[in-house]
Short mmCIF file of all heavy atoms in Angstrom, two decimals:
data_model
loop_
_atom_site.label_atom_id
_atom_site.label_comp_id
_atom_site.label_asym_id
_atom_site.label_seq_id
_atom_site.Cartn_x
_atom_site.Cartn_y
_atom_site.Cartn_z
N ILE N 162 -10.56 12.67 2.89
CA ILE N 162 -10.91 11.93 4.10
C ILE N 162 -10.80 12.82 5.34
O ILE N 162 -9.72 13.30 5.69
CB ILE N 162 -10.01 10.69 4.26
CG1 ILE N 162 -10.09 9.82 3.01
CG2 ILE N 162 -10.39 9.91 5.50
CD1 ILE N 162 -11.47 9.34 2.67
N GLY N 163 -11.93 13.02 5.99
CA GLY N 163 -11.97 13.80 7.22
C GLY N 163 -11.89 15.30 7.04
O GLY N 163 -11.99 16.04 8.02
N GLY N 164 -11.74 15.77 5.82
CA GLY N 164 -11.56 17.19 5.59
C GLY N 164 -12.76 18.04 5.94
O GLY N 164 -12.65 19.26 6.15
N HIS N 165 -13.93 17.40 6.03
CA HIS N 165 -15.16 18.16 6.33
C HIS N 165 -15.40 18.34 7.81
O HIS N 165 -16.26 19.14 8.21
CB HIS N 165 -16.35 17.44 5.70
CG HIS N 165 -16.56 16.04 6.19
ND1 HIS N 165 -15.55 15.10 6.24
CD2 HIS N 165 -17.67 15.39 6.65
CE1 HIS N 165 -16.02 13.95 6.70
NE2 HIS N 165 -17.30 14.12 6.97
N LEU N 166 -14.68 17.62 8.65
CA LEU N 166 -14.94 17.66 10.09
C LEU N 166 -14.72 19.05 10.70
O LEU N 166 -15.58 19.54 11.46
CB LEU N 166 -14.09 16.61 10.80
CG LEU N 166 -14.53 15.16 10.57
CD1 LEU N 166 -13.43 14.19 10.96
CD2 LEU N 166 -15.79 14.85 11.34
N PRO N 167 -13.61 19.74 10.42
CA PRO N 167 -13.47 21.09 10.97
C PRO N 167 -14.55 22.05 10.49
O PRO N 167 -14.97 22.94 11.23
CB PRO N 167 -12.08 21.53 10.48
CG PRO N 167 -11.34 20.25 10.24
CD PRO N 167 -12.38 19.31 9.72
N HIS N 168 -15.02 21.87 9.26
CA HIS N 168 -16.08 22.74 8.75
C HIS N 168 -17.38 22.52 9.52
O HIS N 168 -18.12 23.48 9.82
CB HIS N 168 -16.30 22.47 7.26
CG HIS N 168 -15.12 22.79 6.41
ND1 HIS N 168 -14.80 24.07 6.02
CD2 HIS N 168 -14.15 21.99 5.89
CE1 HIS N 168 -13.70 24.06 5.29
NE2 HIS N 168 -13.28 22.79 5.20
N ALA N 169 -17.68 21.26 9.83
CA ALA N 169 -18.88 20.96 10.60
C ALA N 169 -18.82 21.60 11.98
O ALA N 169 -19.81 22.15 12.48
CB ALA N 169 -19.05 19.45 10.72
N VAL N 170 -17.65 21.54 12.61
CA VAL N 170 -17.48 22.15 13.92
C VAL N 170 -17.58 23.68 13.81
O VAL N 170 -18.19 24.34 14.66
CB VAL N 170 -16.13 21.74 14.54
CG1 VAL N 170 -15.87 22.51 15.84
CG2 VAL N 170 -16.12 20.24 14.81
N GLY N 171 -17.01 24.23 12.76
CA GLY N 171 -17.10 25.68 12.56
C GLY N 171 -18.53 26.15 12.42
O GLY N 171 -18.93 27.17 13.00
N TRP N 172 -19.33 25.39 11.64
CA TRP N 172 -20.74 25.75 11.50
C TRP N 172 -21.45 25.65 12.85
O TRP N 172 -22.26 26.51 13.22
CB TRP N 172 -21.43 24.84 10.48
CG TRP N 172 -22.86 25.25 10.24
CD1 TRP N 172 -23.34 26.08 9.29
CD2 TRP N 172 -24.00 24.85 11.04
NE1 TRP N 172 -24.70 26.23 9.41
CE2 TRP N 172 -25.13 25.50 10.49
CE3 TRP N 172 -24.17 24.03 12.16
CZ2 TRP N 172 -26.40 25.34 11.01
CZ3 TRP N 172 -25.44 23.87 12.69
CH2 TRP N 172 -26.54 24.52 12.11
N SER N 173 -21.16 24.58 13.59
CA SER N 173 -21.79 24.39 14.90
C SER N 173 -21.45 25.54 15.85
O SER N 173 -22.32 26.01 16.60
CB SER N 173 -21.33 23.07 15.51
OG SER N 173 -21.64 21.97 14.69
N TRP N 174 -20.21 25.95 15.84
CA TRP N 174 -19.78 27.05 16.71
C TRP N 174 -20.52 28.33 16.33
O TRP N 174 -21.00 29.07 17.20
CB TRP N 174 -18.28 27.23 16.61
CG TRP N 174 -17.69 28.20 17.59
CD1 TRP N 174 -18.13 28.47 18.85
CD2 TRP N 174 -16.53 29.01 17.38
NE1 TRP N 174 -17.33 29.39 19.47
CE2 TRP N 174 -16.33 29.74 18.60
CE3 TRP N 174 -15.64 29.17 16.34
CZ2 TRP N 174 -15.28 30.63 18.75
CZ3 TRP N 174 -14.59 30.06 16.49
CH2 TRP N 174 -14.40 30.79 17.68
N ALA N 175 -20.63 28.58 15.03
CA ALA N 175 -21.36 29.77 14.57
C ALA N 175 -22.82 29.72 15.01
O ALA N 175 -23.40 30.73 15.43
CB ALA N 175 -21.26 29.89 13.05
N ALA N 176 -23.44 28.53 14.92
CA ALA N 176 -24.83 28.38 15.35
C ALA N 176 -24.97 28.70 16.83
O ALA N 176 -25.92 29.39 17.26
CB ALA N 176 -25.32 26.97 15.05
N LYS N 177 -24.03 28.23 17.63
CA LYS N 177 -24.06 28.50 19.07
C LYS N 177 -23.92 29.99 19.35
O LYS N 177 -24.65 30.56 20.18
CB LYS N 177 -22.95 27.72 19.76
CG LYS N 177 -22.85 27.96 21.26
CD LYS N 177 -21.62 27.28 21.83
CE LYS N 177 -21.42 27.68 23.30
NZ LYS N 177 -20.16 27.10 23.83
N LEU N 178 -22.98 30.64 18.67
CA LEU N 178 -22.75 32.07 18.89
C LEU N 178 -23.97 32.90 18.52
O LEU N 178 -24.26 33.93 19.13
CB LEU N 178 -21.53 32.53 18.09
CG LEU N 178 -20.17 31.98 18.54
CD1 LEU N 178 -19.08 32.41 17.58
CD2 LEU N 178 -19.85 32.43 19.96
N LYS N 179 -24.70 32.45 17.50
CA LYS N 179 -25.87 33.19 17.04
C LYS N 179 -27.13 32.85 17.83
O LYS N 179 -28.18 33.45 17.61
CB LYS N 179 -26.13 32.90 15.55
CG LYS N 179 -25.05 33.43 14.62
CD LYS N 179 -25.49 33.40 13.17
CE LYS N 179 -26.00 32.06 12.73
NZ LYS N 179 -26.41 32.03 11.30
N GLY N 180 -27.03 31.85 18.72
CA GLY N 180 -28.22 31.42 19.44
C GLY N 180 -29.17 30.63 18.58
O GLY N 180 -30.37 30.54 18.86
#
Side-chain angles (χ1 to χ4, degrees):
I162 305 302
H165 59 311
L166 289 164
H168 297 280
V170 173
W172 184 93
S173 301
W174 188 31
K177 178 187 173 185
L178 292 175
K179 293 193 308 181

